[in-house]
Amino acid sequence: MFEDNITNPLYFSEFLEDESGELIQLVADEDGEEMTDDNLPDELPILPIKNTVLFPGVVLPITVGRTKSIRLVKKAYKGDRIIGVVAQNNTKKEEPAFNDLYKIGTVAKILKMLVLPDGNTTIIIQGQQRFELGEPVKEEPFLKATFRLLKETDEMGEDEINAITSSLKEAAYKVLKLNPEIPKEAQVALENIQSYTFLTHFLSSNINAEVSDKQKLLETNNPKERAELLLKYMLKDIQMLELKHEIANKVHSDIDQQQRDYYLRQQMKVLQDELGQDGPDQEVNALRDKAKSKKWPEEVKKHFMKELDKIGRMNPAAAEYPVAMNYAELLVDLPWEEGTEDNFDLKNAKKILDKDHFGLDKVKERILEYLAVRKLKNDLKGPILCLYGPPGVGKTSLGRSIADALGRKYVRMSLGGVHDEAEIRGHRKTYIGAMPGKIIQNINKAKSSNPVFILDEIDKVSSDFRGDPSSALLEVLDPEQNSTFKDNYLEVDYDLSKVLFIATANSLDTIQPPLRDRMEIIDVTGYTLEEKVEIAKKHLIPKQRTEHGLKAKEISFDKSAIAKLINDYTRESGVRSLERKVAAVIRNVAKSIAMEEEYQPKITEKEVRRILGPEDFDKDAYEDNKLPGVATGLAWTPSGGDILFIEASLSRGKGKLTLSGQLGDVMKESAMTALSYLKTNAASLDIDYRVFEHYDLHVHVPAGAIPKDGPSAGITMLTALASVYTQRLIRNKLAMTGEITLRGKVLPVGGIKEKILAAKRAGIREIIMCERNQKDLEEINELYIKDLKIHFVKTVQEVTEIALLTQKPKEPMNFILPEINKD
């Protein structure tokens, strides 16, 4: 409530003795005569003051420093000593004009002027009566203006005066009690004040409030309203003082508790030393000793030491202590600059890769290239490889073989179903249960800064309201950025550039384009029958035999039995299903051995059928079709290649086209394109144009529960339609793939290797495809396709010439068409 200048004795005594011994009366004469316009001049010299407001009856010492103010004071002191004191509304102005002053001030009398030893001039003034500024008269040598005295507007009754006086004094006493800095003489001064008007002015002058608030009190004409506003300010000040008092007591209590805890901790430390137990200090010292021999960047070392110093100042019982310790332990445990040396023996690496995986020549070649460059230039950053292909072809297991070939540690992280960005980047330390991301966790687990890191199923990453993990992977998989990877928990950069990241994916469509652009895509295609037979002999059978506790002499597989497993019991690009079937056969043999039953140790085709039962896939379904309108197409699926049939039939109608079999938009467009081409070129195919108007066409693709889409069935659609409209049979054991245009051009398509393998599995002997797909056959071993005859075409006309036979079925459809009007 009270400002600093209240400690001045002026406020707590009635008289002040000057240098000459003369007593100056400080408290206003409450019973004296009020000033009137008659005993005052017409103009008043105006003294601007900052940071305070002068109230009637109050004595205020002011140090005068401005040139104008000194002139005014000296001249007034020689005259009637009457001046007008007004507070500045703009305290930043050193030479205020009339616009920088409030309009209401106080007429004051200079009681004494003192020249201090330091040369400054101090005046002691006493407020007399409020006034309102009129017109400015002059600004030099000091401010001078006309004025109008203000009078109180409302007289209160005795009861109201007593109530207000009592409330104000009670609030003032409470402030004195809460604020120990106020001298005790202040209470004596309050008790000696009898006039409620002067009490209001005295308290208004000394409350702890802004100058603007004090000015409001001065400008209020109604004494009752002024007292109520003053009481409001005082109660606010009381609340603030009570809050400060409460905080001070709490801080004092906390300090006492800290001292007590420190004393107890010191006792615990002595007891632990006596018992030989490790306390918090020993744990911190152990981390510090471990850091001395740690190989890490200087920046990380400084950060770690700073964290240790912070832990040393913590209370071990505090909730933050274990969090800080876990963080420090992670920092010192991470392999910052600790890694394995690469094995640059390329021949040995090739031997390991060939031993573990049959085929996959392109992947092996890329790994050997990487090793060769590393051998010649030792500072190469780790490449980001993405093995893309159907399930079961060995993409994931290839990572362990690469790690063995390089002599590196192996780490695998499954991304399937990951939908939280924090799984990659980690949580901030401030969160409860925070931990680093899976990247840093796995690096720490490997204890090597350059492992082979498998990011499995990168195409299965999803996103939700917790963020997009695939976006977080952009920094991880960018060779230009991952040298300064920032984990939210770690808070310092970690170098991932030495890590050999290998991602696996079944589909590229669901991978974000920016993420896909950062990886080198290596296509891992499906296996041929011959490759699967070799994989089964060299890997699957020995593995399952060992897992089931059998010896080599107790069971063996005939080559024809393995081929039967592949052709009749599996339908895939990889070998997972084949491995399960091999395991089923070996389990049956293991049961016979365990029960001491007779069994056949040599597994033949007959034994396979006896153990596994009827064939899962009917090979005959992929062969002869003796009706026109049925063509065989080749399709690509995520699990590898497959063949599909396209059936077309005609019925009496008005030329309506019906498509069925869950066809996608692209496949429907292929059917419409094929029909449009046939209508345009009916004459060249010897088709009566009236058939299109008087017969409805129904095109169906079997396996109607499975969605199908893509442009690959274009020439197959056209061949089926041409067959049904011309009633010519389609060549037996012929399959085809390719996109068509309205002009009759055949365009190339993808997935050629998978489609060819599917065709060979189904017993297809001839294949039609676009001439521009000829380059895709270079990836397939010639031994595996030597029995296939492949026709490369450019136009639809070539397709129909190869696919359609000249002979018609024994029971051809009889078209009933109206007679042609020869006119």
Side-chain angles (χ1 to χ4, degrees):
M1 167 187 164
F2 294 92
E3 297 178 325
D4 293 340
N5 55 13
I6 199 170
T7 57
N8 193 307
L10 290 172
Y11 297 103
F12 309 122
S13 61
E14 296 186 17
F15 297 93
L16 175 69
E17 184 176 353
D18 66 3
E19 300 92 331
S20 62
E22 180 183 353
L23 293 177
I24 303 171
Q25 187 174 355
L26 299 180
V27 180
D29 184 4
E30 298 169 5
D31 297 326
E33 292 185 1
E34 194 177 55
M35 281 188 172
T36 63
D37 293 333
D38 297 334
N39 53 21
L40 288 175
D42 295 333
E43 300 169 354
L44 273 180
I46 305 301
L47 176 66
I49 59 174
K50 292 195 298 185
N51 303 323
T52 189
V53 176
L54 177 66
F55 287 84
V58 176
V59 176
L60 193 67
I62 297 176
T63 300
V64 182
R66 298 169 179 160
T67 305
K68 286 185 178 182
S69 299
I70 293 173
R71 292 174 189 161
L72 182 151
V73 167
K74 288 182 178 180
K75 185 169 183 180
Y77 193 69
K78 293 178 182 178
D80 56 7
R81 301 189 181 184
I82 300 298
I83 61 174
V85 179
V86 185
Q88 288 183 216
N89 58 26
N90 185 1
T91 56
K92 295 181 179 179
K93 232 16 183 339
E94 285 303 322
E95 296 294 335
F98 284 99
N99 292 335
D100 300 319
L101 305 177
Y102 286 105
K103 298 303 179 184
I104 304 297
T106 302
V107 177
K109 185 174 182 180
I110 301 176
L111 302 180
K112 193 69 178 177
M113 183 174 71
L114 305 172
V115 179
L116 301 178
D118 60 0
N120 289 327
T121 300
T122 299
I123 59 172
I124 301 171
I125 59 175
Q126 185 176 40
Q128 301 294 327
Q129 193 166 342
R130 297 179 306 118
F131 75 93
E132 181 180 6
L133 276 175
E135 296 296 325
V137 175
K138 62 179 181 178
E139 294 189 5
E140 295 295 339
F142 46 78
L143 301 180
K144 202 168 188 180
T146 60
F147 67 97
R148 179 177 67 86
L149 293 177
L150 299 176
K151 296 182 179 181
E152 306 295 324
T153 59
D154 185 26
E155 291 294 336
M156 293 184 291
E158 187 175 348
D159 292 340
E160 283 187 294
I161 291 174
N162 292 335
I164 290 175
T165 303
S166 176
S167 298
L168 291 174
K169 284 192 175 183
E170 184 179 345
Y173 291 146
K174 188 173 287 188
V175 172
L176 293 173
K177 182 180 179 181
L178 290 171
N179 193 347
E181 297 179 0
I182 301 176
K184 294 181 179 180
E185 290 85 348
Q187 186 171 348
V188 178
L190 284 172
E191 291 173 351
N192 290 335
I193 298 175
Q194 302 299 325
S195 169
Y196 81 91
T197 303
F198 178 67
L199 177 65
T200 306
H201 291 158
F202 180 74
L203 293 177
S204 298
S205 178
N206 292 286
I207 60 169
N208 186 16
E210 299 291 334
V211 173
S212 58
D213 293 334
K214 291 185 178 182
Q215 185 67 28
K216 286 181 183 177
L217 291 169
L218 183 67
E219 294 177 357
T220 304
N221 289 329
N222 190 309
K224 182 179 179 182
E225 293 178 1
R226 185 187 306 129
E228 290 175 349
L229 183 60
L230 171 63
L231 191 59
K232 176 183 175 182
Y233 291 152
M234 292 178 71
L235 292 176
K236 182 179 178 182
D237 191 32
I238 289 170
Q239 290 178 348
M240 187 63 67
L241 288 170
E242 287 176 342
L243 182 60
K244 287 182 179 179
H245 187 69
E246 182 181 343
I247 293 172
N249 288 338
K250 187 175 181 181
V251 170
H252 185 265
S253 174
D254 289 345
I255 291 174
D256 290 344
Q257 181 66 30
Q258 289 178 7
Q259 290 174 341
R260 176 177 175 276
D261 292 346
Y262 175 76
Y263 177 70
L264 291 175
R265 283 200 302 273
Q266 291 300 112
Q267 286 185 322
M268 287 176 60
K269 183 178 178 182
V270 173
L271 291 173
Q272 286 170 344
D273 290 341
E274 290 293 328
L275 294 172
Q277 295 179 352
D278 290 339
D281 290 343
Q282 283 84 354
E283 292 178 358
V284 174
N285 291 333
L287 290 176
R288 203 181 298 275
D289 293 339
K290 193 173 181 180
K292 291 179 181 177
S293 59
K294 185 74 177 176
K295 293 171 63 179
W296 51 6
E298 190 64 28
E299 179 186 351
V300 179
K301 182 178 180 181
K302 289 180 181 178
H303 179 74
F304 174 77
M305 291 303 179
K306 186 178 178 181
E307 289 295 318
L308 276 191
D309 294 340
K310 192 187 298 181
I311 292 172
R313 296 191 296 270
M314 277 187 187
N315 180 356
E320 297 84 0
Y321 187 83
V323 176
M325 282 296 294
N326 289 338
Y327 178 67
E329 288 172 358
L330 175 68
L331 284 178
V332 78
D333 287 342
L334 274 174
W336 294 93
E337 294 179 353
E338 301 164 4
T340 55
E341 291 188 11
D342 287 343
N343 182 2
F344 294 124
D345 187 346
L346 301 186
K347 293 182 179 179
N348 180 61
K350 188 176 188 304
K351 183 179 179 182
I352 292 174
L353 292 173
D354 290 338
K355 176 187 175 184
D356 293 345
H357 288 80
F358 188 85
L360 304 179
D361 296 330
K362 186 187 291 187
V363 185
K364 296 174 184 177
E365 187 69 22
R366 179 64 184 88
I367 297 302
L368 291 175
E369 289 173 358
Y370 169 70
L371 277 175
V373 177
R374 285 279 292 182
K375 185 175 182 179
L376 299 176
K377 186 178 181 182
N378 200 31
D379 60 347
L380 182 69
K381 294 181 179 180
I384 314 296
L385 306 179
C386 179
L387 306 181
Y388 155 66
V393 295
K395 300 185 298 297
T396 304
S397 61
L398 188 68
R400 189 176 292 278
S401 300
I402 293 173
D404 292 340
L406 293 172
R408 292 191 180 191
K409 297 290 182 68
Y410 170 78
V411 178
R412 175 181 169 272
M413 174 183 173
S414 178
L415 294 173
V418 173
H419 50 73
D420 188 354
E421 183 185 350
E423 294 280 344
I424 308 299
R425 287 192 175 277
H427 307 81
R428 298 194 182 280
K429 276 194 315 187
T430 52
Y431 296 154
I432 296 174
M435 61 179 67
K438 291 287 182 66
I439 301 293
I440 295 299
Q441 286 183 40
N442 282 289
I443 293 290
N444 189 33
K445 181 181 176 182
K447 298 301 177 188
S448 171
S449 61
N450 63 339
V452 173
F453 202 122
I454 303 298
L455 295 170
D456 216 1
E457 309 289 355
I458 198 170
D459 56 323
K460 308 296 190 303
V461 174
S462 58
S463 61
D464 62 6
F465 64 94
R466 287 179 284 258
D468 186 2
S470 59
S471 297
L473 284 170
L474 292 176
E475 182 183 2
V476 177
L477 299 182
D478 191 342
E480 300 301 323
Q481 298 182 36
N482 62 9
S483 59
T484 56
F485 174 67
K486 193 69 169 282
D487 187 277
N488 290 330
Y489 182 85
L490 206 57
E491 294 184 350
V492 289
D493 294 341
Y494 191 90
D495 185 4
L496 294 176
S497 63
K498 301 173 186 175
V499 179
L500 176 55
F501 285 104
I502 299 178
T504 70
N506 299 131
S507 173
L508 299 178
D509 297 337
T510 55
I511 304 176
Q512 281 191 13
L515 183 60
R516 190 168 59 200
D517 183 61
R518 283 164 166 76
M519 300 185 292
E520 181 180 342
I521 308 296
I522 298 178
D523 194 358
V524 183
T525 54
Y527 296 113
T528 62
L529 173 64
E530 291 80 3
E531 288 175 329
K532 287 184 179 181
V533 170
E534 292 299 320
I535 291 171
K537 287 169 59 179
K538 294 181 179 180
H539 301 283
L540 303 184
I541 294 174
K543 176 185 174 184
Q544 291 301 322
R545 191 169 56 211
T546 303
E547 289 185 358
H548 289 82
L550 299 183
K551 298 176 181 177
K553 64 181 181 179
E554 293 176 322
I555 185 172
S556 61
F557 281 76
D558 189 50
K559 189 173 181 180
S560 61
I562 299 174
K564 185 172 181 62
L565 285 173
I566 296 168
N567 288 326
D568 297 341
Y569 292 93
T570 64
R571 189 71 70 200
E572 59 176 350
S573 291
V575 291
R576 280 207 182 102
S577 295
L578 176 60
E579 185 173 8
R580 285 192 288 268
K581 296 300 179 182
V582 169
V585 173
I586 293 178
R587 276 199 307 272
N588 186 273
V589 172
K591 184 199 72 170
S592 299
I593 294 174
M595 297 180 68
E596 298 181 354
E597 298 175 347
E598 289 188 8
Y599 73 98
Q600 177 61 258
K602 183 76 171 180
I603 303 299
T604 60
E605 290 186 50
K606 184 178 179 181
E607 280 297 302
V608 168
R609 196 177 194 286
R610 182 188 68 79
I611 295 171
L612 298 182
E615 291 82 355
D616 295 339
F617 298 94
D618 188 2
K619 191 174 181 181
D620 294 336
Y622 296 88
E623 293 183 354
D624 296 345
N625 293 298
K626 298 180 180 180
L627 291 175
V630 181
T632 306
L634 298 175
W636 180 92
T637 67
S639 60
D642 202 353
I643 71 170
L644 55 82
F645 294 100
I646 294 178
E647 303 173 347
S649 67
L650 294 174
S651 60
R652 293 289 295 272
K654 296 182 179 180
K656 177 183 175 184
L657 171 63
T658 303
L659 301 171
S660 60
Q662 277 223 59
L663 307 185
D665 292 338
V666 178
M667 209 163 182
K668 290 177 181 178
E669 290 169 2
S670 295
M672 290 185 283
T673 304
L675 183 58
S676 296
Y677 176 82
L678 290 177
K679 288 180 179 180
T680 305
N681 299 276
S684 63
L685 291 169
D686 196 21
I687 301 174
D688 192 325
Y689 70 89
R690 290 173 296 172
V691 177
F692 300 112
E693 299 175 2
H694 296 280
Y695 281 84
D696 291 340
L697 174 65
H698 186 172
V699 178
H700 176 69
V701 183
I706 302 173
K708 312 166 192 71
D709 201 9
S712 299
I715 62 173
T716 315
M717 286 275 189
L718 186 135
T719 304
L721 268 57
S723 172
V724 75
Y725 278 121
T726 60
Q727 289 294 292
R728 293 165 63 183
L729 293 174
I730 297 175
R731 189 182 298 275
N732 190 29
K733 295 186 179 180
L734 171 72
M736 58 197 75
T737 182
E739 184 179 357
I740 60 170
T741 68
L742 282 175
R743 297 175 297 159
K745 298 290 185 182
V746 179
L747 302 180
V749 291
I752 293 299
K753 182 178 180 181
E754 286 81 0
K755 292 175 180 178
I756 290 178
L757 298 180
K760 191 172 183 186
R761 284 198 305 266
I764 300 295
R765 295 176 182 173
E766 297 182 61
I767 297 175
I768 300 175
M769 67 175 66
C770 179
E771 187 181 50
R772 287 155 63 185
N773 280 124
Q774 189 170 358
K775 64 180 184 302
D776 297 312
L777 268 65
E778 297 175 4
E779 300 178 9
I780 307 174
N781 193 321
E782 291 182 2
L783 295 174
Y784 300 153
I785 58 174
K786 63 180 181 180
D787 298 331
L788 285 174
K789 184 177 182 181
I790 300 176
H791 304 275
F792 297 103
V793 297
K794 294 181 180 179
T795 64
V796 169
Q797 185 178 357
E798 297 177 60
V799 175
T800 55
E801 289 176 358
I802 297 170
L804 298 180
L805 300 175
T806 55
Q807 69 184 54
K808 297 189 177 182
K810 295 178 181 179
E811 297 181 1
M813 179 184 294
N814 293 317
F815 289 109
I816 302 174
L817 299 172
E819 291 294 329
I820 300 175
N821 188 347
K822 297 181 179 179
D823 295 336

